[in-house]
């Protein structure tokens, strides 16, 4: 998780996304990781993927991001 966060902080979103996705496989209900994946998708202009991830997330910051990028 720390390594993924370091990639994210350096704006290396593809690398961060890869690591976050491997983390979510073992922790599928981890809201923080779901949020980070959604943020990566947003930074990579992958809004449809971000919206899919955010639809199941109740984290308040994730909800703000969902409102920003999802047009539903």
């Amino acid at each position: 998780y720390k390594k993924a966060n370091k990639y994210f902080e350096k704006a290396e979103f593809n690398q961060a996304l890869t690591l976050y996705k491997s983390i979510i496989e073992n922790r599928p209900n981890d809201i923080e990781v779901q949020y980070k994946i959604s943020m990566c998708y947003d930074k990579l202009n992958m809004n449809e993927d971000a919206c899919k991830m955010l639809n199941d997330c109740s984290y308040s910051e994730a909800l703000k991001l969902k409102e920003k990028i999802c047009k539903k």
Side-chain angles (χ1 to χ4, degrees), residues 31-39 54 57 59 61-62 65:
I31 294 169
E32 227 175 287
V33 177
Q34 290 174 344
Y35 175 58
K36 290 288 195 170
I37 290 171
S38 300
M39 289 176 57
L54 291 167
C57 194
Y59 188 56
E61 290 300 314
L65 183 60

Side-chain angles (χ1 to χ4, degrees), residues 49-66:
D49 292 313
C51 288
K52 285 179 189 174
M53 180 63 68
L54 291 167
N55 279 331
D56 295 329
C57 194
S58 62
Y59 188 56
S60 64
E61 290 300 314
L63 291 175
K64 288 178 189 174
L65 183 60
K66 181 181 176 183

Side-chain angles (χ1 to χ4, degrees), residues 2-67:
K2 289 181 182 181
K3 190 172 183 178
N5 286 339
K6 287 186 183 203
Y7 279 127
F8 189 88
E9 290 169 10
K10 293 193 265 182
E12 296 178 13
F13 302 115
N14 281 314
Q15 293 89 336
L17 181 59
T18 299
L19 292 177
Y20 288 132
K21 285 173 133 183
S22 67
I23 293 166
I24 204 76
E25 288 178 16
N26 296 319
R27 297 169 22 195
N29 297 320
D30 189 319
I31 294 169
E32 227 175 287
V33 177
Q34 290 174 344
Y35 175 58
K36 290 288 195 170
I37 290 171
S38 300
M39 289 176 57
C40 287
Y41 283 141
D42 180 44
K43 298 292 186 183
L44 295 168
N45 295 314
M46 299 171 70
N47 291 349
E48 187 175 319
D49 292 313
C51 288
K52 285 179 189 174
M53 180 63 68
L54 291 167
N55 279 331
D56 295 329
C57 194
S58 62
Y59 188 56
S60 64
E61 290 300 314
L63 291 175
K64 288 178 189 174
L65 183 60
K66 181 181 176 183
E67 288 175 12

